[in-house]
Amino acid sequence: MKGKYSGYPDGYKKLVKDIIPFYMRPVKDMLMRLLLTILVDG
Amino acid sequence: MDGKALKAQRVKLFRDAANFRRTDRIPHFANVVTWKVFDAGHTLDEAMTNFEVMEKCVLHFLDKYPVDSILDVGIRNQFNVTEAFGEGSYYYYDKEVVGIHDHAHCTVETLQEYLDDPTRYAWEVILPKKYGEAWEQKTTEVWKKTFSEYIKYTKFVLHMAKVMDKYGLPGLSPNNPMKGAVVPAVETLMSDLLGIQQLSIAMRRSGDLLDAFIERWEKERMEPIYAKIRKAKGPDDVHCFDSSILMLAHTVMNKKQFERFYWPYLKKLLDVYAEKKMNIRIFTEGSILRFAEYFADYPKGLLTFHIEQDDPFEFRAALPNVAIMGGMTTDLLSNGTPEECVAYAKRLCDELGRDGGFIFSENKMLSYRNDAKAENMLAVCNFVNEYRL
């Protein structure tokens, strides 16, 4: 992905911070993994 | 009887049947997915993107057909999340049909890279490939909208679990979308990582690479599951089964391939469940009878095979130690009369269920409009619910 979310893990971490701001880190990580699973497999 | 008491009664009924204990009636597990949308007067596109419509279809089914549990309460086919993200889904649907294209996230050479870091692999390889140029255009707003739809979907899943409780319907097993299912390595290879075509070719040409992937999957993904099962007290008292496993990859394997890539690992999993005297349901897509010998020595109670294409009477003769789920063919439900369907349902209950070991169900997931006539389904559901052995 280009722009501010480019690269892994930096761009990925920035995205997680931007779209899931209200949860503790482990919850954020879990939610993002599950979202990615839907986007990958769906 | 309230929902809680009814659920407890049904769990006992399923467990007794799985353990070959006599029951006064045969439990009915409705193998029903999207057929209920048509039966409620809607089309798939109306229900798959609208939680209210889908819930209405589920309630219509549960109010009309007396069943003891159901495979799906509307949570399996929802498209709001992927549609919020944009074009590029493997799943497709229209008014009448839902399906999935064969796809592959990896090549046999990149399987190890996937295991090294699945999130990185998704971010750098799978998603850019899947969404093409559109991947580069995803803005913060698109991601936020997609995440918001995902949260709505999660709330719908939790809401429908409460609906199940209200109707006293136990869930199939603890393996649900929220907790993750137990997936043997070859099944993930076939369904997502390599697809049918690449897996078939790799079994002939790249066996060593598959062995390496399966060994690592076993160590990193399955061994923690074995440890978790061993720590459990034993069978639970809230689900129909302790685990539900789907077998599809055997349909593209010969016996030699099954013995190399599948059986040693499946056996390890089954043996762990057997140690804890748990009950496992295996949905055996296609036919499993040509592999019957591998399952012949397990004690009664461990295995319930939900059979798809195998004849249930032939299956009982080949594997008398394995409980049967299924039996009612969609062919008869869609083409027969109510009288013919009930006569066959009676034969199934009488010949397969008198000493336990039988759970009535449909052989295929009822998905499309013509998978069953409503009058046949109603006649069969009423019969199984009322028939006493």
Side-chain angles (χ1 to χ4, degrees), chain B residues 263-275:
Chain B
W263 177 242
Y265 310 99
L266 180 61
K267 183 178 185 307
K268 220 186 280 184
L269 178 63
L270 300 186
D271 288 349
V272 179
Y273 281 122
E275 282 172 29

Side-chain angles (χ1 to χ4, degrees), chain A residues 2 5 34 39-42, chain B residues 90 105 130 135-136 140 150:
Chain A
K2 287 177 185 166
Y5 302 132
L34 289 169
L39 294 180
V40 163
D41 294 334
Chain B
Y90 299 128
H105 295 330
K130 184 177 178 185
W135 171 248
E136 307 292 349
T140 308
Y150 167 65

Side-chain angles (χ1 to χ4, degrees), chain B residues 146-203:
Chain B
T146 308
F147 182 73
S148 165
E149 289 298 335
Y150 167 65
I151 293 297
K152 285 183 199 165
Y153 170 67
T154 304
K155 286 179 180 170
F156 179 66
V157 171
L158 297 172
H159 172 68
M160 294 313 287
K162 286 183 185 164
V163 170
M164 291 272 285
D165 284 342
K166 185 183 160 200
Y167 280 80
L169 301 169
L172 177 60
S173 75
N175 302 332
N176 58 45
M178 299 300 289
K179 293 183 181 173
V182 177
V183 184
V186 286
E187 293 298 343
T188 200
L189 286 171
M190 178 144 160
S191 62
D192 292 313
L193 298 185
L194 293 181
I196 299 168
Q197 194 178 18
Q198 272 204 92
L199 175 63
S200 304
I201 294 168
M203 284 193 293

Side-chain angles (χ1 to χ4, degrees), chain B residues 304-320:
Chain B
T304 297
F305 278 16
H306 195 152
I307 53 177
E308 188 188 27
Q309 289 181 0
D310 292 311
D311 177 84
F313 305 102
E314 198 183 327
F315 184 95
R316 173 54 50 85
L319 285 169

